[in-house]
């Protein structure tokens, strides 16, 4: 939904000011998949490709944003999301703008996560993000992040 995209973008730009400097935009939130856009010009490195640190940020933020929107849909607004751990791989260079994509975890994982949070006020969820060159479907970056939600 467009409304959710604009909402998330304003949250990111307000709560994480770096996202403004990165030129990060929320493309869409559709069928529980979040897509973010990162422009090359604001995130370029000395090789004229996208800076690895920007790609890491984009991947982390796709997971953070996914969890933020999904919790909002569940009516859970009392939690704080933090990334606890992340593993990243850069199989291909990003030579233009980048799209970070975070799909939904399995329904089982999600249910378990919600149950843990409701019971203990703290829960952990692993989300997998991939980053592609705009116009391509090939993984340029793969990221696995462990996010913690706590009251």
């Amino acid at each position: 939904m467009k409304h959710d995209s604009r909402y998330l973008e304003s949250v990111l730009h307000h709560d994480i000011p770096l996202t403004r400097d990165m030129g990060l935009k929320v493309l869409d939130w559709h069928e529980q998949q979040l897509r973010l856009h990162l422009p090359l010009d604001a995130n370029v490195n000395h090789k004229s490709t996208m800076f690895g640190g920007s790609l890491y940020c984009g991947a982390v933020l796709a997971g953070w944003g996914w969890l933020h929107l999904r919790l909002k849909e569940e009516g859970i607004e009392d939690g704080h999301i933090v990334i606890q751990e992340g593993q990243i791989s850069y199989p291909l260079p990003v030579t233009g703008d980048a799209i970070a994509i975070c799909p939904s975890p399995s329904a089982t994982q999600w249910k378990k996560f919600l149950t843990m949070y409701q019971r203990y006020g703290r829960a952990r969820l692993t989300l997998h993000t991939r980053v592609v060159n705009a116009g391509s479907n090939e993984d340029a970056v793969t990221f696995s992040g462990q996010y913690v939600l706590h009251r």
Side-chain angles (χ1 to χ4, degrees):
M1 271 167 59
K2 200 74 193 146
H3 167 73
D4 289 324
S5 300
R6 280 200 303 274
Y7 158 76
L8 179 62
E9 199 171 290
S10 71
V11 167
L12 288 170
H13 288 182
H14 180 269
D15 293 356
I16 307 169
L18 173 68
T19 58
R20 287 196 303 260
D21 296 331
M22 292 172 72
L24 182 132
K25 295 264 178 267
V26 177
L27 280 180
D28 51 51
W29 169 248
H30 182 64
E31 292 178 355
Q32 295 180 2
Q33 176 175 277
L34 178 63
R35 294 189 323 139
L36 305 178
H37 176 264
L38 287 173
L40 178 62
D41 58 2
N43 298 286
V44 72
N45 66 17
H46 62 291
K47 299 247 193 205
S48 304
T49 60
M50 197 165 289
F51 172 55
S54 293
L55 290 165
Y56 186 88
C57 283
V60 168
L61 290 162
W64 189 96
W66 185 93
L67 191 47
H68 187 88
L69 288 175
R70 200 59 193 84
L71 288 167
K72 191 170 179 272
E73 287 181 350
E74 295 281 348
I76 297 171
E77 305 203 19
D78 64 345
H80 302 280
I81 304 165
V82 293
I83 180 130
Q84 185 180 51
E85 202 178 308
Q87 295 82 35
I88 196 160
S89 173
Y90 303 91
L92 290 173
V94 175
T95 53
D97 289 0
I99 312 294
I101 304 156
C102 185
S104 189
S106 75
T108 311
Q109 286 172 298
W110 180 244
K111 255 183 112 84
K112 189 177 157 202
F113 171 78
L114 287 179
T115 303
M116 291 295 283
Y117 183 67
Q118 279 144 3
R119 192 170 295 161
Y120 303 109
R122 184 180 174 88
R124 181 182 295 126
L125 183 68
T126 299
L127 293 171
H128 298 279
T129 298
R130 57 198 204 94
V131 182
V132 298
N133 279 280
S136 168
N137 201 28
E138 244 184 314
D139 291 353
V141 172
T142 56
F143 175 79
S144 170
Q146 284 78 53
Y147 294 84
V148 173
L149 179 69
H150 64 87
R151 281 202 186 98

